[in-house]
Amino acid sequence: QVQLVESGGGLVQPGGSLRLSCAASGSIFSIFVMAWYRQASGKQRELVAQSISGGSTNYADSVKGRFTISRDNAKNTVYLQMNDPKPEDTAVYYCNAEVASVRGGVPYAYWGQGTQVTVSS
């Protein structure tokens, strides 16, 4: 089993900054992808940013140039630096990781419990 624990959510003013963290622990051999998703009230969950092993990253168009995903492989931790947040970024943010627990094992997707981010003045 793998656990993902998020931290760093809260209330932030428009134009401010906030950093989310997500640490993975448990039965981990290799993490292929670490990502952040979000789900606003009444909307479907959507991908915000992902970090793929090897170094490539992808972002939703709505956050490009404002949010940055980074990863500390030694700590099995992924971060989301949120700069210049806007009210429409308000959502529950979920960490996701695709993890192989043994060498050659099939990766399985795990989710964190979610952390609320509210952008408001």
Side-chain angles (χ1 to χ4, degrees):
Q1 271 291 8
V2 174
Q3 296 78 40
L4 301 180
V5 178
E6 299 127 336
S7 60
L11 176 65
V12 60
Q13 292 188 342
S17 64
L18 195 68
R19 190 175 84 153
L20 306 182
S21 301
C22 171
S25 62
S27 183
I28 298 171
F29 176 78
S30 181
I31 302 179
F32 294 94
V33 179
M34 298 193 84
W36 290 96
Y37 287 73
R38 67 186 181 189
Q39 186 166 19
S41 180
K43 295 188 177 182
Q44 290 188 330
R45 191 173 298 190
E46 62 175 359
L47 175 67
V48 177
Q50 66 178 183
S51 171
I52 302 170
S53 60
S56 63
T57 56
N58 295 300
Y59 295 91
D61 288 343
S62 60
V63 307
K64 281 180 182 176
R66 299 187 297 120
F67 292 6
T68 301
I69 189 170
S70 60
R71 190 167 157 177
D72 185 334
N73 290 324
K75 296 181 179 179
N76 290 329
T77 298
V78 65
Y79 306 96
L80 184 69
Q81 179 66 42
M82 303 171 63
N83 293 333
D84 188 25
K86 304 180 186 304
E88 52 264 39
D89 294 319
T90 295
V92 178
Y93 284 70
Y94 295 92
C95 178
N96 168 271
E98 295 181 14
V99 180
S101 294
V102 297
R103 180 186 295 273
V106 176
Y108 185 82
Y110 295 90
W111 292 90
Q113 78 285 357
T115 185
Q116 177 70 46
V117 173
T118 301
V119 184
S120 175
S121 55

